[in-house]
Amino acid sequence: MRVNLTVNGEALKADDVWPGESLLYVLRERLGLPGAKNACEQGECGSCTVLLDGLTSCACLVAAGQAQGSAVVTVEGLSEGDALHPVQQAFIDAGAVQCGFCTPGLVVAVWDLLRATPHPSDPQIREALAGNLCRCTGYEKILEAVRLAAGRAT
C-alpha cells in the first residue's frame, strides 16, 4: 500500500508499505529520517516520539496505514536549516546529550511541553517527560536543558 504523509512540512509518500509496518519504520527506513530511534518497540521508552497531527506519539505503536494523510513532525523538523531549534541547543549546552539515543524523543516532548507551557515548573517538566527513559544522564541535565530552553524563550 502507499502511505501519504506530510512530514516536517513536506508532502511525502512511501510505497509498498505492508499492513503491519510501523510509522517509525516508514520514517527511518523508507523516508530516510533516522532521528526517531527504535529502542523498545513497545511504546515504553519514548525514543521514537514524534508529533502526529500535533500530538506526541510513539511512532513504534502507530501502524503506518493509520497515519495516512497525517502531519508528522520529527526531531529533524524542529531545526531550521543548519540552525538548531533552541530546545536542541539547550540540550547541547546543558550537557543533556550522552549517548543520544533518547535525545530525539526527549527534544520533541520538550518542544511540545514548551509550546503548551512556556515556563513549566519542575513537576510539570517531570510529568511531561514521564514517558521518556534515559539510561545515561540521571535526568538532572535533562531538567536543566528544559529550564534553559524555557528561559531562552522569554
Side-chain angles (χ1 to χ4, degrees):
M1 93 176 111
R2 172 178 284 171
V3 176
N4 297 293
L5 302 164
T6 301
V7 182
N8 301 328
E10 183 180 351
L12 299 175
K13 65 180 178 182
D15 288 321
D16 300 322
V17 175
W18 53 275
E21 203 165 300
S22 70
L23 175 61
L24 178 61
Y25 186 87
V26 167
L27 291 170
R28 289 180 57 80
E29 305 301 329
R30 296 188 181 275
L31 300 179
L33 296 166
K37 303 298 185 220
N38 185 5
C40 72
E41 295 183 344
Q42 297 177 9
E44 296 291 330
C45 71
S47 293
C48 65
T49 301
V50 298
L51 293 173
L52 180 61
D53 292 328
L55 301 173
T56 56
S57 302
C58 290
C60 72
L61 296 180
V62 178
Q66 289 177 298
Q68 172 66 29
S70 292
V72 178
V73 178
T74 67
V75 69
E76 292 96 340
L78 299 181
S79 60
E80 293 186 29
D82 290 336
L84 293 177
H85 185 277
V87 172
Q88 293 167 315
Q89 189 62 53
F91 266 72
I92 293 169
D93 295 346
V97 178
Q98 295 289 311
C99 79
F101 214 77
C102 66
T103 306
L106 282 163
V107 167
V108 171
V110 170
W111 182 91
D112 187 52
L113 167 65
L114 296 180
R115 177 176 64 157
T117 309
H119 301 285
S121 64
D122 280 3
Q124 288 172 313
I125 296 169
R126 291 176 193 280
E127 183 177 344
L129 301 182
N132 296 78
L133 300 179
C134 176
R135 292 169 177 89
C136 298
T137 67
Y139 296 99
E140 190 53 44
K141 294 288 185 183
I142 295 167
L143 293 172
E144 186 179 322
V146 179
R147 292 183 206 115
L148 185 59
R152 289 177 176 172
T154 58

